[in-house]
Amino acid sequence: MSPPSQILRHAARDTLSKIRRRSPPTHTTLRHTSATAHLLAQPSHFVTGVTPEQLQADAVLQEWFASNFKSWQSDPENIIVPDVQAEKEAADAQVEESSNGIAVPPELASRNIRPLVGYIRLSGREEGSRNCYDLRNPGPNEPFFPLVPGILHGSDPTQNILSHDASSKVLVKTPWFEIQRELDRYHRRFTNRVYALTLYDANEADVSYHRSAQNKPEPTYQVCQDTMTITEVPPPPPPVLPDRTPILENVLVIPADLQLHPVAHAAYCLNFVRYHASKPIKLPIVSVNEEESPAMKRGGFIAYTSKTIECLVDEGAPIPEGISLECTGLRQKDVVRRDRLVMPEGCVIHPRVREDFLLGTVFGAKGGGGDADGEGAEADAKK
């Protein structure tokens, strides 16, 4: 079996040969200063355990390498391409924090509210089963992208909107990838969150405005034969798009009635309910301190009868991701009620929830006995 150093050298040599084949036959030294990634020599090929970071931080070690291994930085067998994928993912994460370039106001971002983009659905032309099917499944020659139909409804006393008024119901269509991005991030908690929905005109639906849906160009490299460095060619700048004027901006909503395809598990229909401070929201229950429970640390679990609880969040207070359930001291067959919930500041349980509201029951692991049986078995073993 080849030692790791030889495997690394062969991989570096293959990578360099592929890059040379891609590069033009005649090439001069490149001087790009942005979006570059250089070929680095590995000092561990000469001294085991020495990393490039250690070599860069230690001047004495640099002088020793320069005097003992003069050509270690220019030898192609000792050069590898550094992994810059983590840096690119971090940059992409910063872009995703502002959904497709639309950032929510600071007062909403501090309340744990994320942005969401949608479009107005045309009345008559985009209603009905067949038209909604065309929205979800556009043809290959159509300029549109998959859109999920739905309705924005509900009352909002702060905006003088009443639910019995027909004008309160707005036909909307949401890009599929907008919904899927939030489903990948929050899974089942997607319908227990508050979003700032921005709606544009139906004719302004264009995938170019959505960064998360655009295909990222493959990186291209150029090699300098003199200095044995590879430089990443920066991609062309994105096209400048005209500004759009939203019809409704930063409407606080709760996703509701999410329907998924029975086979593909893709979003099939999604409605939105207007949210305000006086409206209850169902927040998921999250177990904490399970290791402090004699039953749960032995494989027990809580059989929930309700995994959410209705809460009221004060105006301006951050909306929590979930409500913590204190599991300290829980034993097998204990009944868990709402008095074990730890409510965050600015959040209270809705008054219509009973004081003895049942959350679930603690059960032991399959085939396992209770706490008393386990203590008795330990006592017998000591005897």
Side-chain angles (χ1 to χ4, degrees):
M1 184 175 180
S2 301
S5 59
Q6 293 185 7
I7 297 176
L8 191 60
R9 291 178 180 178
H10 291 317
R13 189 181 299 131
D14 294 341
T15 303
L16 190 60
S17 61
K18 292 179 181 179
I19 295 173
R20 286 174 175 172
R21 287 196 296 268
R22 293 181 185 176
S23 61
T26 58
H27 176 68
T28 59
T29 304
L30 301 175
R31 299 186 180 276
H32 293 296
T33 58
S34 61
T36 59
H38 298 283
L39 287 170
L40 300 179
Q42 281 298 304
S44 60
H45 292 175
F46 303 90
V47 179
T48 304
V50 178
T51 62
E53 292 77 10
Q54 295 175 349
L55 187 61
Q56 185 177 3
D58 194 340
V60 177
L61 193 59
Q62 293 178 9
E63 184 179 357
W64 187 84
F65 260 81
S67 59
N68 291 275
F69 310 107
K70 297 182 180 180
S71 62
W72 74 277
Q73 288 183 315
S74 59
D75 188 358
E77 293 187 356
N78 302 318
I79 296 177
I80 67 168
V81 179
D83 185 14
V84 296
Q85 187 64 25
E87 299 178 2
K88 293 184 178 181
E89 291 179 356
D92 295 340
Q94 295 179 357
V95 174
E96 289 297 333
E97 287 301 323
S98 59
S99 173
N100 304 313
I102 300 177
V104 296
E107 61 272 12
L108 295 182
S110 62
R111 298 177 58 189
N112 193 23
I113 297 177
R114 286 175 54 82
L116 203 63
V117 179
Y119 299 92
I120 299 295
R121 192 152 49 102
L122 298 177
S123 178
R125 292 174 52 187
E126 295 180 339
E127 290 184 88
S129 300
R130 180 172 297 181
N131 292 331
C132 289
Y133 177 85
D134 294 338
L135 286 176
R136 301 186 195 98
N137 305 278
N141 297 325
E142 296 181 5
F144 302 104
F145 47 91
L147 297 165
V148 179
I151 298 176
L152 170 62
H153 62 96
S155 61
D156 188 356
T158 61
Q159 303 293 333
N160 296 325
I161 300 176
L162 302 177
S163 58
H164 60 77
D165 189 358
S167 61
S168 65
K169 298 178 177 58
V170 181
L171 299 177
V172 299
K173 52 185 179 181
T174 311
W176 171 84
F177 41 79
E178 288 271 333
I179 302 174
Q180 193 61 43
R181 184 192 66 235
E182 300 302 318
L183 285 174
D184 294 340
R185 184 185 292 259
Y186 298 106
H187 302 283
R188 296 180 180 178
R189 300 183 185 181
F190 169 60
T191 55
N192 303 113
R193 293 185 51 84
V194 177
Y195 288 89
L197 180 64
T198 301
L199 296 177
Y200 293 95
D201 186 75
N203 298 323
E204 294 181 346
D206 192 339
V207 73
S208 301
Y209 288 95
H210 300 270
R211 297 179 183 176
S212 59
Q214 298 178 10
N215 295 326
K216 299 179 181 178
E218 291 292 335
T220 56
Y221 300 93
Q222 291 180 343
V223 179
C224 177
Q225 303 291 346
D226 298 333
T227 60
M228 296 302 296
T229 58
I230 174 176
T231 306
E232 181 179 355
V233 179
V240 179
L241 301 173
D243 295 335
R244 299 184 299 179
T245 303
I247 298 178
L248 296 175
E249 187 174 10
N250 293 329
V251 181
L252 299 186
V253 297
I254 301 176
D257 305 324
L258 174 64
Q259 300 180 20
L260 301 178
H261 193 276
V263 178
H265 297 284
Y268 199 75
C269 178
L270 178 64
N271 298 334
F272 298 99
V273 180
R274 292 183 178 90
Y275 173 79
H276 50 87
S278 302
K279 185 176 182 60
I281 177 175
K282 291 185 177 181
L283 296 177
I285 298 174
V286 183
S287 301
V288 296
N289 296 330
E290 294 183 355
E291 66 278 0
E292 302 296 332
S293 169
M296 300 183 70
K297 70 180 181 180
R298 291 183 173 87
F301 60 94
I302 299 177
Y304 286 99
T305 58
S306 177
K307 294 185 177 181
T308 60
I309 188 166
E310 283 189 326
C311 298
L312 292 175
V313 182
D314 296 342
E315 181 70 29
I319 301 174
E321 298 279 351
I323 303 300
S324 300
L325 174 64
E326 181 59 57
C327 298
T328 302
L330 283 179
R331 298 180 178 272
Q332 189 174 354
K333 298 183 181 179
D334 281 355
V335 177
V336 183
R337 300 190 183 275
R338 57 168 281 185
D339 55 352
R340 281 188 169 269
L341 295 176
V342 181
M343 303 303 298
E345 185 179 358
C347 181
V348 296
I349 300 178
H350 197 277
R352 66 186 173 198
V353 180
R354 298 182 304 175
E355 292 292 335
D356 59 344
F357 182 73
L358 177 65
L359 299 177
T361 307
V362 181
F363 289 95
K366 186 176 180 180
D371 298 331
D373 296 340
E375 294 173 359
E378 293 177 1
D380 296 339
K382 291 181 180 180
K383 293 181 181 178

